[in-house]
Structure formats: structure tokens, C-alpha cells
Amino acid sequence: MILKAYQTVRYRTQHKVMKYLSMVLPFPVPDILQGPGSVKKLARRIQADGVKNVIVVTDKVLMELGLPDVFLDSLDESGIEYTIYDEVMPNPTIECIEDGVKVYKAEKCNGIVAFGGGSAMDCAKIIGARVSNGYMPIRRMKGNFMVWLPLPPLYAIPTTAGTGSETTVAAVVSDPKTHEKFAINDLKLVPKVAVLDPELMVGLPPHITSTTGMDALTHAVEAYIGLNGNPFTDDKAKAATLLIFENLEKAYSNGSDLEARNNMALASYYAGTAFTRAYVGYVHAIAHNMGGMYGVPHGLANAIILAPVLEFCRKESEKKLADLAIAGGIGELGEPAEDLSIRFIEKIKTMNKNMKIPSTIKELKKEDIPLIAKRALAEAHPDYPVPRIMTMEECKKLIGKLLS
Ligand SMILES: NC(=O)c1ccc[n+]([C@@H]2O[C@H](COP(=O)([O-])OP(=O)(O)OC[C@H]3O[C@@H](n4cnc5c(N)ncnc54)[C@H](O)[C@@H]3O)[C@@H](O)[C@H]2O)c1
Ligand SMILES: [Fe+2]
């Protein structure tokens, strides 16, 4: 009991310090190229920055789809040399990043373009961090502010509407040796330019559209209900929630709906803007470990874990969940906060159901639960400013609910 009280005071003190820091830190904001076809404008910008030879970090799926072609043609037209590094896998590993660093150096590049989902963007970010900080192994960059020297110019072209990595200070890496997934957080990881082009998202398959969209919703919700939000992040989180409620199922059922795709690209960016300043919570702490342990896609893990975590902290977050229900257009001012908060959680469950997202994690093994809980709490405490602090027993119980 005394230990728990001591821990609560320690965590809450740290949260206050971080809240203050997040308000005074000069978070860089990428320049935005936005709207259908905007990807064609990036080459000119790269040229104007004096960058002559870029590494394009992407994956084989996107190369086979020919998705980067329009962009690569525009690089040719602008006389910018490029080398394609397409070895990125979902949940990028340390090895995959180190291979990218070798290519960057061998080809004497002087800029980086991330073309893809969060995996490509995070891989590109850490390639950049390693190129500039050669003495610093990736594992030692884990945590906050461990990237000392600035990255080469970094440009992000997201092709999923989910992670918000195009505007965040974070990059997430998997360590296959320990089956851990960890984040590197540094202001220097924010790209110079982010391209939000919905045309690149039209071919995103429905099951990736849905899960990456639920990742964006998780960012908005965790940023809003956590204790470190401020009026700026609150506005972004509310705007993202409304856009996601209104557009995610449309984009899921009709991938060619350009307006829905455009709104989801914006929602993902807004949610990224919110959580990079206000942080995430237990949904991400547990989801990262499902990714590290079993390779469960990040968005899918978040989509499944979001409702159980909100049920765990519903009372503590009642007012804020009610705000989000109103902001998301599923409630009215004046309705009881309890009803609105319950309706908000039900809405998440309904969206998952409509988009055929399961409510359990099929890879999860009962015997792994203690280790996953231990690692999830080690990730969350003391950094994540969660509305209700979870004990080890509560965490194990919650993860147990995710068993098939
Ligand atoms: N840095 C951050 O702030 C941040 C935030 C949240 C998540 N993440 C990380 O991002 C990663 C997940 O990223 P993600 O959810 O965007 O998925 P992803 O990048 O792993 O991509 C998932 C799959 O979708 C395919 N794909 C992507 N765009 C496509 C398109 N337009 N058309 C067809 N297929 C396409 C990819 O080839 C890949 O096979 C995880 O490692 C997660 O931890 C990072
Ligand atoms: Fe996420």
C-alpha cells in the first residue's frame, strides 16, 4: 500500500515535469504538402534545399505496386539522384536499419526520403540518426533525447493513415534478439517536410486501412485522456476523432473515396501532432509488446486493446471520454458524462466489428502474459501520463482478456 502510494507520487511528479517540458520544448513542425497529387511537388522542394542525392526508404510491397513511380519520375525530372532501399519490413528491426545505413554511405547520399507506412518512416528516421551519430549504437538511442547530432534532410511520404510518424519525434524499433520493441524519441527525428497525398492511399487494402486508422484514433484518445494534454493537443485530438469517426469506415468500404482518404491523412497527422506532445498510454505499451513478441501489426494490436484499456480507466477518464464523444459527433452537450463515456467505448467496439477487427489476439500465449505485462508496465512507467495507474496484477488480468 505504502509502495503503491509512493509510486503514484513519483510517477505523477514526473508527469508534471514532462507536461511542463512539452509546453516549452521547441517541437519542430514539418512543412506540409497536402492534397491529391501533392507528392509531385516534393522533388522541387528537395532541389531547393540543395539536396542532390537521396536514399528512398520503402518496402517491396510498395515497389511491386509501383506506388513510388510518380515520385521517382519527379526526382528524375528535377535532376536528383536516388537509390532505393526497399528492405523495410513491418515492425522494422535494428538489422534492417543498419543495412540502410550501409547503402546510404556507399551511395554517398545527402538526404533521406521515407516512402511508406510507419515502418518505412521509422526506419528512415533511424537510418538518419545513425548516419549522423555513427558512434551511437541503436540500442543506446532508446528513450528520450539520445540523438545528439542533427539528421540529414529527411522527407516523409506516408502511404498509410495511421502512425503520424511524419510529424512525431518518435521512431519505433524491434530488437529480434530480445523480442522487444522500443521507441527512440528526439526532436531531431521530426521530418523537414511531410507529404499528405490521399492518392497514395487509394490502394491500401481494407484490413490495413482499418487497423492503421484505429492506430490514429488510439493516438488521439490516449493523448486526450492522458494528463499531459494542453489546449493545442486537445484541439488536434478532437479534430482527429471527428475525422476518423466520419471517414474511417468510408475509406475501409470504398478505398477509392478520395475525400475520405484525404480526411484520414489529415486525421492521422493531427493525432500524431497531439500524441507527440502529450504522449500515449497503456494501449501502446501493451501493443508494442505484442509487436515485439509476436509481430502483431501495430494498428491491429491497438485496435484490439483500445476498448479494454478504456474500460479499465473509464471512471477516471469519464469527463474526457464524454468530451471526445461530443467532439466525435456521437453525443450532445448536457447528456450525462457517464452515458457519453460508455457510448464512446461502444462506438470503438462497433467500428471494430464493422471493419472485421477481432477482439482477441490469436498469437497471444497464456504463459507469456507475465513477461508482456512486466515489459508493458516498464515501458509505461513513469513516462506515460495515464489517467489511472495500473498494477502488475491488473495488467495481467487485462492482457488475459485478449486471449483467444
Ligand atoms: N514513429 C511514430 O510516431 C509511430 C507511431 C505509431 C506507430 N509507429 C510504428 O509504425 C509501424 C507501423 O506502421 P503502419 O501501421 O503504417 O504499417 P506498415 O508501415 O508496417 O505497413 C503495413 C503494410 O502495409 C503496406 N502498405 C503501406 N502503404 C500501402 C499502400 N498505400 N498500399 C498498399 N499497401 C501499403 C506495407 O507494404 C506493409 O506491408 C510500427 O512499427 C509502429 O510501431 C510509429
Ligand atoms: Fe501508434
Side-chain angles (χ1 to χ4, degrees):
M1 199 68 183
I2 293 172
L3 183 68
K4 197 178 171 199
Y6 166 74
Q7 272 180 339
T8 305
V9 171
R10 195 165 70 84
Y11 297 163
R12 291 306 186 206
T13 308
Q14 163 117 357
H15 298 155
K16 284 218 169 83
V17 173
M18 281 164 42
K19 180 170 175 143
Y20 174 73
L21 261 182
S22 80
M23 285 199 287
V24 295
L25 277 175
F27 279 87
V29 178
D31 294 339
I32 298 294
L33 299 175
Q34 212 264 316
S38 51
V39 74
K40 289 179 211 142
K41 297 182 196 157
L42 181 62
R44 284 254 178 91
R45 169 62 201 262
I46 297 175
Q47 192 185 41
D49 288 345
V51 176
K52 295 193 166 60
N53 182 7
V54 294
I55 181 170
V56 178
V57 180
T58 186
D59 66 42
K60 292 216 158 51
V61 175
L62 299 181
M63 285 306 290
E64 271 160 32
L65 289 171
L67 207 63
D69 290 356
V70 170
F71 171 63
L72 298 177
D73 289 348
S74 70
L75 286 179
D76 281 332
E77 281 160 24
S78 301
I80 297 165
E81 285 181 54
Y82 62 83
T83 304
I84 293 166
Y85 176 65
D86 64 1
E87 299 295 329
V88 177
M89 306 293 273
N91 297 322
T93 59
I94 291 175
E95 196 186 356
C96 157
I97 294 158
E98 294 297 3
D99 288 347
V101 172
K102 284 182 202 141
V103 174
Y104 183 99
K105 287 184 178 162
E107 299 298 329
K108 300 191 171 45
C109 299
N110 67 344
I112 305 176
V113 179
F115 190 105
S119 298
M121 289 191 278
D122 287 4
C123 186
K125 284 177 169 182
I126 311 175
I127 289 174
R130 281 285 290 141
V131 164
S132 304
N133 299 270
Y135 54 90
M136 193 77 163
I138 292 174
R139 286 187 189 85
R140 277 190 48 209
M141 293 185 191
K142 177 176 171 176
N144 300 327
F145 310 117
M146 295 303 286
V147 180
W148 293 100
L149 297 172
L151 276 60
L154 171 68
Y155 307 89
I157 309 175
T159 62
T160 59
T163 68
S165 182
E166 68 275 11
T167 184
T168 71
V169 300
V172 192
V173 197
S174 291
D175 184 345
K177 275 195 195 142
T178 58
H179 296 286
E180 269 179 295
K181 226 178 147 181
F182 62 88
I184 296 173
N185 300 307
D186 199 290
L187 298 178
K188 298 178 195 75
L189 296 179
V190 178
K192 259 173 108 72
V193 180
V195 178
L196 308 180
D197 186 339
E199 284 179 356
L200 300 174
M201 297 165 188
V202 161
L204 193 65
H207 72 283
I208 306 181
T209 300
S210 58
T211 51
T212 50
M214 291 308 278
D215 181 26
L217 182 63
T218 309
H219 295 154
V221 175
E222 293 208 294
Y224 193 80
I225 66 170
L227 306 189
N228 283 18
N230 58 50
F232 174 76
T233 61
D234 287 353
D235 279 354
K236 297 291 173 202
K238 284 180 180 169
T241 302
L242 178 62
L243 287 170
I244 295 167
F245 279 3
E246 288 186 344
N247 294 281
L248 178 55
E249 288 179 70
K250 284 187 194 164
Y252 168 81
S253 51
N254 175 14
S256 310
D257 183 336
L258 213 54
E259 195 187 338
R261 291 290 190 191
N262 196 41
N263 286 333
M264 281 307 300
L266 279 174
S268 167
Y269 179 78
Y270 291 157
T273 307
F275 94 80
T276 201
R277 291 162 176 79
Y279 256 106
V280 285
Y282 289 124
V283 186
H284 271 79
I286 299 170
H288 284 152
N289 285 285
M290 296 297 173
M293 202 83 165
Y294 310 115
V296 180
H298 178 71
L300 175 63
N302 277 332
I304 297 171
I305 301 164
L306 180 55
V309 168
L310 292 184
E311 275 162 353
F312 167 78
C313 62
R314 193 198 60 78
K315 280 212 182 94
E316 292 72 11
S317 317
E318 190 169 273
K319 164 82 180 63
K320 288 189 173 178
L321 290 174
D323 289 349
L324 285 181
I326 295 167
I330 58 165
E332 302 286 336
L333 264 174
E335 289 188 73
E338 184 179 4
D339 294 356
L340 289 168
S341 64
I342 292 169
R343 195 179 310 153
F344 188 81
I345 299 172
E346 286 310 310
K347 169 79 179 167
I348 289 162
K349 291 183 184 172
T350 309
M351 285 173 78
N352 277 351
K353 214 170 166 190
N354 292 346
M355 297 189 290
K356 300 191 172 54
I357 295 174
S359 55
T360 57
I361 294 180
K362 65 176 190 311
E363 293 85 350
L364 177 61
K365 294 194 196 89
K366 200 171 175 195
E367 60 270 27
D368 293 338
I369 292 177
L371 180 61
I372 295 172
K374 189 172 159 221
R375 285 180 172 176
L377 292 190
E379 174 178 329
H381 298 158
D383 281 358
Y384 295 170
V386 289
R388 176 182 170 191
I389 290 171
M390 208 180 261
T391 63
M392 186 61 73
E393 279 318 304
E394 287 164 339
C395 191
K396 285 192 223 164
K397 198 171 151 201
L398 192 146
I399 298 171
K401 288 186 192 163
L402 308 173
L403 279 167
S404 295

